[in-house]
Amino acid sequence: MLSSLVREHQAKQAARRDIQERRRKEAIISASNVTKALVENLNNRVAIAYNNEKKLDAEAKQLQANAALFAKQSMQWLQLIENFNQALKELGDVENWSKSLESDMQTIASALEYAYKDTG
């Protein structure tokens, strides 16, 4: 009787150890799965952030190139406007010179006309 109780007790202990071992393995597997899921989620977010950063860098470089091109074109436009203004000033100078020359020629023509009338 005592030996049967001991065997029964040992059998129950062995069954409990088996159950406890099975639960421990299940807990390890569950913890591993949770860890993998967390790492995957974190890696996905990091990958998304990295891709966004790459896109932002590319767009920033494109913006910088466009800004440099715009600055170059602006300088060219400013130079063209300056040249145009200079040409207008020169035209104004030529116009003033021609008016002065015309006035002088009219004065000379009037003087010659006056002198011709007096001799004739």
Side-chain angles (χ1 to χ4, degrees), residues 84-118:
F84 180 71
N85 283 338
Q86 186 63 33
L88 284 178
K89 287 179 185 177
E90 289 173 5
L91 282 176
D93 291 344
V94 169
E95 183 181 8
N96 286 337
W97 174 77
S98 67
K99 285 182 182 178
S100 176
L101 188 60
E102 182 181 9
S103 174
D104 290 346
M105 294 303 276
Q106 285 177 349
T107 303
I108 292 171
S110 295
L112 286 174
E113 203 175 296
Y114 180 74
Y116 180 69
K117 284 183 185 178
D118 283 344

Side-chain angles (χ1 to χ4, degrees), residues 40-113:
E40 275 185 24
N41 189 9
L42 183 61
N43 283 343
N44 286 339
R45 289 181 182 183
V46 168
I48 289 170
Y50 178 73
N51 287 334
N52 289 342
E53 183 181 4
K54 281 176 45 179
K55 288 177 185 177
L56 284 173
D57 285 344
E59 288 178 14
K61 286 179 183 178
Q62 183 65 38
L63 179 62
Q64 188 176 13
N66 288 344
L69 180 62
F70 178 71
K72 182 180 176 183
Q73 288 175 340
S74 296
M75 291 302 294
Q76 290 173 342
W77 277 102
L78 288 173
Q79 186 62 41
L80 284 173
I81 290 171
E82 181 63 32
N83 291 344
F84 180 71
N85 283 338
Q86 186 63 33
L88 284 178
K89 287 179 185 177
E90 289 173 5
L91 282 176
D93 291 344
V94 169
E95 183 181 8
N96 286 337
W97 174 77
S98 67
K99 285 182 182 178
S100 176
L101 188 60
E102 182 181 9
S103 174
D104 290 346
M105 294 303 276
Q106 285 177 349
T107 303
I108 292 171
S110 295
L112 286 174
E113 203 175 296

Side-chain angles (χ1 to χ4, degrees), residues 6-16:
V6 170
R7 274 186 253 146
E8 188 179 316
H9 174 69
Q10 287 175 343
K12 285 181 183 179
Q13 252 186 339
R16 285 184 190 142

Side-chain angles (χ1 to χ4, degrees), residues 27-41:
I28 290 172
I29 291 171
S30 295
S32 177
N33 289 339
V34 167
T35 303
K36 285 180 185 178
L38 289 173
V39 168
E40 275 185 24
N41 189 9

